[in-house]
């Protein structure tokens, strides 16, 4: 059979390896504690669900929607940015609704990139940041991340971006970061935006974890930087903040040219998110926000069991200031295994599922990612399993 050329550029999805092992173990009746996929386990807040039901009962909402998003939601998005970050946005030209941020990033790449273009992406990164450009046919220039220090990352970007040949058309970033949980301050973007302007590089920022921040940390928006809209866009998704992963709703704001490009290509692919979901999303953004704080506190409680627990076992892991993840360097005695084999070992011997770091890029191979999707009791059970595995050698 003739090969499909575009698919040959996509590696086998490494997470399938551990997923298949997990499924087989559960089929055998084993109790697997799952820290793998970053799939929120909580219920969507009731007032959002109620609004969905109310809107779905109006038959007029059953028709095709708008691929750019209904005007009222785009206005709510801009109001959210205004009240939260003091940023003024035009709902007609500077905001667009997406079917989750993953779809938006992939289609933005398809709209903007040609075969001759390159994109700069940190390594490790969330897979769509790497493979969105690949699917679009362009080339990826990796920026190796060896730690979580903001100053060293900024120095690396300021050193490498001007020297990259060919000059990348887009730089894709994600802070707070998946998988590393790395955080930056607004000063980071205040240095980076002028650099990208000077070099003629578009900046795409994924702000998916804006609300999942701990210990007084506040995640900045690149849109807060004066003039950012000249070269930048930012994505946000309701998946994590409002426990709405399966609803598939997010948005992109910023540079008018990039918003128009995404709108044009989306008009060929879809008729937009189901209208009742968009109406419910307005209720999420404009309704009571205590639910967001409650969801964040749940992740913090889980973090405060998992990470100190791992450290107590002799597995040094940094306490993340944000996201729903813990990025853990493989313990020294197992480091030679690599992230896939070590993940298999955890699954088979400790009954704990994690994501192999190599799934986020080759520079992630010395790590595994824990998603904070198990409650405290289950997390303590996982720690006991890991302790026993360490004891067995």
């Amino acid at each position: 059979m003739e090969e499909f050329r575009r698919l040959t550029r996509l590696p086998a999805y490494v997470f399938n390896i551990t997923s298949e092992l997990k499924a087989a173990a559960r089929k055998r009746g084993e109790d697997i504690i799952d820290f793998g996929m970053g799939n929120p386990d909580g219920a969507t807040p009731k007032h959002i669900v109620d609004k969905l039901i109310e809107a779905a009962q109006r038959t007029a909402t059953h028709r095709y929607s708008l691929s750019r998003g209904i005007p009222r939601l785009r206005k709510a998005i801009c109001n959210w940015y205004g009240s939260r970050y003091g940023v003024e946005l035009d709902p007609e030209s500077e905001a667009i609704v997406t079917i989750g941020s993953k779809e938006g990033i992939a289609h933005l790449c398809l709209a903007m990139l040609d075969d001759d273009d390159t994109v700069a992406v940190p390594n490790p990164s969330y897979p769509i940041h790497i493979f969105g450009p690949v699917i679009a046919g362009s080339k990826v220039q990796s920026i190796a991340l060896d730690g979580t220090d903001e100053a060293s990352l900024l120095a690396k970007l300021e050193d490498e971006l001007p020297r990259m040949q060919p000059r990348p058309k887009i730089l894709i970033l994600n802070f707070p970061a998946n998988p590393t949980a790395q955080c930056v301050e607004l000063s980071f973007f205040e240095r980076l935006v002028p650099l990208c302007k000077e070099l003629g590089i578009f900046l795409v920022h994924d702000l998916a974890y804006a609300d999942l921040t701990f210990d007084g940390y506040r995640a900045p928006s690149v849109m807060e930087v004066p003039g950012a809209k000249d070269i930048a866009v930012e994505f946000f998704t309701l998946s994590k903040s409002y426990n709405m992963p399966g609803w598939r709703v997010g948005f992109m704001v910023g540079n008018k040219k990039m918003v128009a490009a995404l709108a044009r290509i989306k008009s060929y692919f879809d008729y937009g998110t189901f209208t009742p979901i968009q109406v419910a999303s307005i209720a999420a953004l404009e309704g009571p926000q205590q639910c967001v704080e409650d969801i964040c506190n749940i992740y913090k409680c889980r973090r405060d069991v998992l990470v100190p627990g791992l450290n107590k076992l002799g597995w040094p892991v940094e306490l993340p200031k944000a996201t729903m993840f813990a990025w853990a360097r493989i313990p020294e005695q197992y480091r030679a295994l690599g992230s896939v084999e070590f993940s298999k070992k955890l699954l088979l011997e400790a009954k704990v599922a994690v994501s192999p770091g190599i799934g986020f890029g080759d520079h992630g191979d010395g790590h595994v990612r824990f998603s904070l999707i198990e409650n405290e009791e289950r997390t303590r059970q996982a720690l006991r399993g890991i302790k026993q595995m360490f004891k067995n050698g």
Side-chain angles (χ1 to χ4, degrees):
M1 183 182 292
E2 183 180 343
E3 286 196 56
F4 302 116
R5 186 177 65 86
R6 195 175 301 278
L7 294 184
T8 62
R9 298 191 64 199
L10 298 176
Y13 203 53
V14 69
F15 304 120
N16 286 349
I17 298 170
T18 49
S19 293
E20 288 167 6
L21 283 173
K22 179 174 62 181
R26 284 179 168 163
K27 193 173 181 180
R28 294 192 298 268
E30 296 177 17
D31 180 18
I32 302 298
I33 303 168
D34 191 1
F35 298 103
M37 185 179 180
N39 189 5
D41 61 314
T44 304
K46 185 177 183 300
H47 70 280
I48 301 172
V49 177
D50 289 345
K51 181 58 72 171
L52 171 74
I53 294 169
E54 176 191 314
Q57 288 172 336
R58 300 198 302 268
T59 56
T61 66
H62 299 177
R63 307 184 72 185
Y64 290 131
S65 190
L66 299 172
S67 62
R68 293 174 58 221
I70 60 176
R72 184 67 182 81
L73 177 52
R74 283 185 274 120
K75 184 178 179 182
I77 289 163
C78 295
N79 289 342
W80 185 83
Y81 261 90
S83 61
R84 185 184 182 110
Y85 297 111
V87 173
E88 187 174 326
L89 293 162
D90 179 0
E92 287 302 312
S93 61
E94 295 176 334
I96 182 170
V97 179
T98 59
I99 306 173
S101 57
K102 190 173 183 180
E103 173 270 325
I105 291 168
H107 279 150
L108 180 66
C109 290
L110 209 56
M112 293 182 63
L113 299 170
D114 293 317
D115 291 355
D116 294 334
D117 292 323
T118 64
V119 178
V121 186
N123 186 338
S125 276
Y126 181 56
I128 199 63
H129 300 159
I130 300 170
F131 295 109
V134 170
I135 292 167
S138 65
K139 300 173 183 65
V140 172
Q141 294 171 293
S142 287
I143 301 168
L145 299 186
D146 300 317
T148 56
D149 176 63
E150 176 185 335
S152 62
L153 171 60
L154 184 59
K156 184 180 281 271
L157 289 169
E158 290 178 333
D159 175 58
E160 292 190 14
L161 286 175
R163 297 191 293 108
M164 283 185 172
Q165 293 297 329
R167 180 71 48 82
K169 188 170 189 175
I170 299 174
L171 169 65
I172 300 179
L173 295 176
N174 164 219
F175 297 110
N178 177 9
T180 65
Q182 181 173 10
C183 296
V184 298
E185 301 293 342
L186 181 59
S187 55
F188 174 89
F189 291 120
E190 288 173 337
R191 293 265 295 270
L192 192 61
V193 166
L195 176 64
C196 288
K197 275 189 184 180
E198 179 187 334
L199 298 175
I201 299 173
F202 288 108
L203 175 58
V204 174
H205 182 233
D206 185 352
L207 189 59
Y209 302 95
D211 290 310
L212 303 188
T213 59
F214 318 121
D215 309 327
Y217 173 69
R218 173 190 177 274
S221 163
V222 70
M223 292 294 126
E224 294 179 87
V225 179
K229 289 190 287 185
D230 294 342
I231 50 96
V233 290
E234 188 162 71
F235 283 90
F236 181 76
T237 171
L238 277 66
S239 296
K240 309 306 189 300
S241 300
Y242 299 93
N243 275 347
M244 295 171 64
W247 298 54
R248 307 314 305 130
V249 58
F251 53 80
M252 184 186 89
V253 302
N255 180 267
K256 292 181 180 181
K257 186 176 181 180
M258 296 166 78
V259 169
L262 180 55
R264 184 170 181 184
I265 202 159
K266 274 175 65 64
S267 70
Y268 285 92
F269 279 102
D270 67 75
Y271 289 108
T273 297
F274 185 41
T275 297
I277 290 178
Q278 296 192 58
V279 173
S281 298
I282 297 168
L285 294 173
E286 295 187 344
Q289 299 299 298
Q290 182 61 44
C291 59
V292 178
E293 186 176 332
D294 292 343
I295 290 166
C296 181
N297 285 336
I298 288 170
Y299 288 120
K300 181 181 183 298
C301 290
R302 294 173 179 183
R303 177 202 71 161
D304 290 346
V305 172
L306 176 67
V307 176
L310 291 172
N311 279 278
K312 191 175 178 180
L313 295 179
W315 185 351
V317 177
E318 186 176 341
L319 195 71
K321 291 192 296 184
T323 77
M324 56 184 293
F325 307 113
W327 185 239
R329 192 176 187 201
I330 298 171
E332 187 174 356
Q333 64 268 37
Y334 303 109
R335 210 160 287 163
L337 291 175
S339 60
V340 172
E341 291 304 316
F342 179 66
S343 296
K344 288 181 183 178
K345 186 177 180 68
L346 276 174
L347 185 64
L348 296 173
E349 298 182 22
K351 310 305 177 189
V352 170
V354 297
S355 295
I358 198 169
F360 305 98
D362 53 357
H363 283 273
D365 197 26
H367 294 74
V368 294
R369 189 196 71 180
F370 287 83
S371 297
L372 303 173
I373 55 172
E374 294 277 11
N375 63 38
E376 291 98 314
E377 183 181 344
R378 296 276 289 169
T379 299
R380 292 187 184 96
Q381 181 182 338
L383 290 168
R384 290 192 293 271
I386 294 169
K387 181 179 181 179
Q388 187 60 48
M389 187 189 88
F390 285 177
K391 185 177 178 182
N392 295 340

